Coordinates of all heavy atoms in Angstrom, one line a residue:
E135 N -11.6 -25.4 11.5 CA -11.9 -26.7 10.9 C -10.7 -27.3 10.1 O -10.6 -28.5 10.1 CB -13.1 -26.6 9.9 CG -14.5 -26.5 10.6 CD -15.6 -26.3 9.6 OE1 -15.4 -26.5 8.4 OE2 -16.7 -25.8 10.0
Q136 N -9.9 -26.4 9.6 CA -8.7 -26.9 8.9 C -7.5 -27.2 9.8 O -6.4 -27.4 9.3 CB -8.3 -25.9 7.8 CG -9.4 -25.6 6.7 CD -9.6 -26.9 5.9 OE1 -8.7 -27.5 5.4 NE2 -10.9 -27.3 5.7
G137 N -7.7 -27.0 11.1 CA -6.7 -27.3 12.1 C -5.8 -26.2 12.4 O -4.7 -26.5 13.0
L138 N -6.1 -25.0 12.0 CA -5.2 -23.9 12.3 C -5.5 -23.2 13.6 O -6.6 -22.9 14.0 CB -5.4 -22.8 11.2 CG -5.0 -23.2 9.8 CD1 -5.3 -22.1 8.8 CD2 -3.6 -23.7 9.7
A139 N -4.4 -23.0 14.4 CA -4.5 -22.3 15.7 C -4.5 -20.8 15.4 O -5.0 -20.0 16.3 CB -3.4 -22.7 16.6
G140 N -4.0 -20.4 14.3 CA -3.9 -19.0 13.9 C -3.8 -18.9 12.4 O -3.4 -19.9 11.8
F141 N -4.0 -17.8 11.9 CA -4.0 -17.7 10.4 C -3.8 -16.2 10.0 O -3.9 -15.3 10.8 CB -5.3 -18.2 9.8 CG -6.5 -17.5 10.3 CD1 -7.0 -16.4 9.7 CD2 -7.2 -18.0 11.5 CE1 -8.2 -15.8 10.1 CE2 -8.3 -17.3 12.0 CZ -8.8 -16.2 11.3
K142 N -3.4 -16.1 8.7 CA -3.3 -14.8 8.1 C -4.5 -14.6 7.1 O -4.9 -15.6 6.5 CB -2.0 -14.7 7.3 CG -0.7 -14.9 8.0 CD 0.4 -14.7 7.0 CE 1.7 -15.4 7.6 NZ 2.2 -14.8 8.8
T143 N -4.9 -13.4 6.9 CA -5.9 -13.1 5.9 C -5.3 -12.1 5.0 O -4.5 -11.2 5.4 CB -7.2 -12.6 6.5 OG1 -6.9 -11.6 7.4 CG2 -8.0 -13.7 7.2
L144 N -5.7 -12.1 3.7 CA -5.2 -11.2 2.7 C -6.3 -10.9 1.7 O -6.9 -11.9 1.2 CB -4.0 -11.8 2.1 CG -3.3 -11.1 0.9 CD1 -2.7 -9.8 1.4 CD2 -2.3 -11.9 0.2
I145 N -6.5 -9.7 1.4 CA -7.3 -9.3 0.2 C -6.5 -8.4 -0.7 O -6.3 -7.2 -0.4 CB -8.6 -8.5 0.7 CG1 -9.3 -9.3 1.8 CG2 -9.5 -8.2 -0.4 CD1 -10.5 -8.5 2.5
N146 N -6.1 -9.0 -1.8 CA -5.4 -8.1 -2.8 C -6.5 -7.4 -3.6 O -7.5 -7.9 -4.0 CB -4.6 -9.0 -3.8 CG -3.5 -9.7 -3.1 OD1 -2.8 -9.1 -2.2 ND2 -3.2 -11.0 -3.4
T147 N -6.2 -6.1 -3.8 CA -7.3 -5.2 -4.4 C -6.7 -4.4 -5.5 O -5.8 -3.6 -5.3 CB -7.9 -4.3 -3.4 OG1 -8.5 -5.1 -2.3 CG2 -9.0 -3.4 -4.0
G148 N -7.1 -4.7 -6.7 CA -6.6 -4.0 -7.9 C -5.3 -4.6 -8.4 O -4.6 -5.3 -7.7
K149 N -5.0 -4.3 -9.7 CA -3.8 -4.8 -10.3 C -2.6 -4.4 -9.5 O -1.7 -5.2 -9.2 CB -3.7 -4.3 -11.7 CG -2.7 -4.9 -12.6 CD -3.0 -4.5 -14.1 CE -1.9 -5.1 -15.0 NZ -0.6 -4.4 -14.9
D150 N -2.5 -3.1 -9.1 CA -1.4 -2.6 -8.3 C -1.4 -3.2 -6.9 O -0.4 -3.1 -6.2 CB -1.5 -1.1 -8.2 CG -1.1 -0.4 -9.5 OD1 -0.7 -1.1 -10.5 OD2 -1.2 0.8 -9.6
G151 N -2.5 -3.8 -6.5 CA -2.5 -4.4 -5.2 C -2.2 -5.9 -5.2 O -2.4 -6.6 -4.3
G152 N -1.8 -6.4 -6.4 CA -1.4 -7.8 -6.6 C -2.6 -8.7 -6.9 O -2.5 -9.9 -6.9
Q153 N -3.8 -8.1 -7.2 CA -4.9 -9.0 -7.5 C -4.8 -9.6 -8.9 O -4.4 -8.9 -9.9 CB -6.2 -8.1 -7.5 CG -7.5 -9.0 -7.6 CD -8.8 -8.1 -7.4 OE1 -8.7 -6.9 -7.1 NE2 -9.9 -8.8 -7.4
E154 N -5.0 -10.9 -9.0 CA -4.9 -11.6 -10.3 C -6.2 -12.0 -10.8 O -6.4 -12.1 -12.0 CB -3.9 -12.8 -10.1 CG -2.5 -12.3 -9.9 CD -1.6 -13.5 -9.5 OE1 -2.0 -14.6 -9.4 OE2 -0.4 -13.2 -9.3
V155 N -7.1 -12.4 -9.9 CA -8.4 -12.8 -10.2 C -9.4 -11.8 -9.8 O -9.5 -11.5 -8.6 CB -8.8 -14.2 -9.6 CG1 -10.2 -14.6 -9.9 CG2 -7.8 -15.3 -10.1
F156 N -10.1 -11.2 -10.8 CA -10.9 -10.0 -10.5 C -12.4 -10.4 -10.1 O -13.3 -10.0 -10.8 CB -10.8 -9.0 -11.6 CG -9.5 -8.3 -11.6 CD1 -8.4 -8.9 -12.2 CD2 -9.3 -7.1 -10.9 CE1 -7.2 -8.3 -12.2 CE2 -8.0 -6.5 -10.8 CZ -7.0 -7.1 -11.5
H157 N -12.4 -11.2 -9.1 CA -13.7 -11.6 -8.4 C -13.3 -11.6 -6.9 O -12.4 -12.4 -6.5 CB -14.1 -12.9 -8.9 CG -15.4 -13.5 -8.3 ND1 -16.5 -14.0 -9.0 CD2 -15.7 -13.6 -7.0 CE1 -17.4 -14.4 -8.2 NE2 -17.0 -14.2 -6.9
L158 N -13.9 -10.8 -6.1 CA -13.6 -10.6 -4.7 C -13.3 -11.9 -4.0 O -14.1 -12.9 -4.1 CB -14.7 -9.8 -4.0 CG -14.5 -9.6 -2.5 CD1 -13.3 -8.7 -2.3 CD2 -15.8 -9.0 -1.9
H159 N -12.2 -12.0 -3.3 CA -11.9 -13.2 -2.5 C -11.0 -12.8 -1.3 O -10.2 -11.9 -1.5 CB -11.3 -14.3 -3.3 CG -10.1 -13.8 -4.1 ND1 -10.1 -13.1 -5.3 CD2 -8.7 -14.0 -3.9 CE1 -8.9 -12.8 -5.7 NE2 -8.1 -13.4 -4.9
V160 N -11.1 -13.6 -0.3 CA -10.2 -13.4 0.9 C -9.3 -14.7 1.0 O -9.8 -15.8 1.0 CB -11.0 -13.3 2.2 CG1 -10.1 -13.2 3.4 CG2 -11.9 -12.0 2.1
H161 N -8.0 -14.5 1.0 CA -7.1 -15.6 1.2 C -7.0 -15.8 2.7 O -6.9 -14.9 3.6 CB -5.7 -15.2 0.8 CG -5.5 -14.9 -0.6 ND1 -4.9 -15.8 -1.5 CD2 -5.8 -13.8 -1.4 CE1 -4.9 -15.3 -2.7 NE2 -5.4 -14.1 -2.7
V162 N -7.0 -17.1 3.1 CA -6.8 -17.5 4.5 C -5.6 -18.5 4.5 O -5.7 -19.5 3.8 CB -8.0 -18.1 5.2 CG1 -7.7 -18.5 6.6 CG2 -9.2 -17.2 5.1
M163 N -4.6 -18.2 5.2 CA -3.3 -19.0 5.1 C -2.8 -19.3 6.5 O -2.8 -18.4 7.4 CB -2.2 -18.2 4.4 CG -2.6 -18.0 2.9 SD -1.5 -16.7 2.2 CE -2.3 -15.2 2.8
G164 N -2.3 -20.5 6.7 CA -1.7 -20.8 8.0 C -1.1 -22.2 7.9 O -1.0 -22.9 6.9
G165 N -0.5 -22.6 9.1 CA 0.1 -23.9 9.2 C 1.5 -24.0 8.8 O 2.1 -25.1 8.6
G166 N 2.2 -22.9 8.6 CA 3.6 -22.9 8.3 C 3.9 -22.7 6.8 O 3.0 -22.8 6.0
A167 N 5.2 -22.4 6.6 CA 5.7 -22.2 5.2 C 4.9 -21.2 4.5 O 4.8 -21.2 3.3 CB 5.7 -23.5 4.4
S168 N 4.5 -20.2 5.2 CA 3.7 -19.1 4.6 C 4.6 -18.1 4.1 O 5.5 -17.6 4.8 CB 2.7 -18.5 5.6 OG 2.0 -17.5 5.0
R169 N 4.5 -17.7 2.8 CA 5.3 -16.6 2.3 C 4.2 -15.5 1.9 O 3.2 -15.8 1.3 CB 6.1 -17.0 1.1 CG 5.3 -17.6 -0.1 CD 6.1 -17.9 -1.3 NE 5.4 -18.7 -2.3 CZ 4.5 -18.3 -3.1 NH1 4.2 -17.1 -3.2 NH2 3.9 -19.2 -3.9
P170 N 4.5 -14.3 2.4 CA 3.5 -13.3 2.1 C 3.3 -13.1 0.5 O 4.3 -13.2 -0.2 CB 4.1 -12.0 2.7 CG 5.2 -12.5 3.5 CD 5.6 -13.8 3.0
K171 N 2.1 -13.1 0.1 CA 1.8 -12.8 -1.3 C 2.0 -11.3 -1.6 O 1.6 -10.5 -0.8 CB 0.4 -13.2 -1.7 CG 0.3 -14.7 -2.0 CD -1.1 -15.0 -2.3 CE -1.7 -14.3 -3.6 NZ -1.2 -14.8 -4.8

Side-chain angles (χ1 to χ4, degrees):
E135 282 177 17
Q136 297 296 309
L138 297 177
F141 58 91
K142 301 179 199 300
T143 49
L144 177 69
I145 306 174
N146 292 323
T147 302
K149 196 165 175 286
D150 289 354
Q153 187 173 2
E154 291 170 1
V155 176
F156 287 85
H157 178 133
L158 178 65
H159 53 281
V160 176
H161 296 258
V162 180
M163 296 166 279
S168 182
R169 57 174 166 81
K171 276 178 63 75

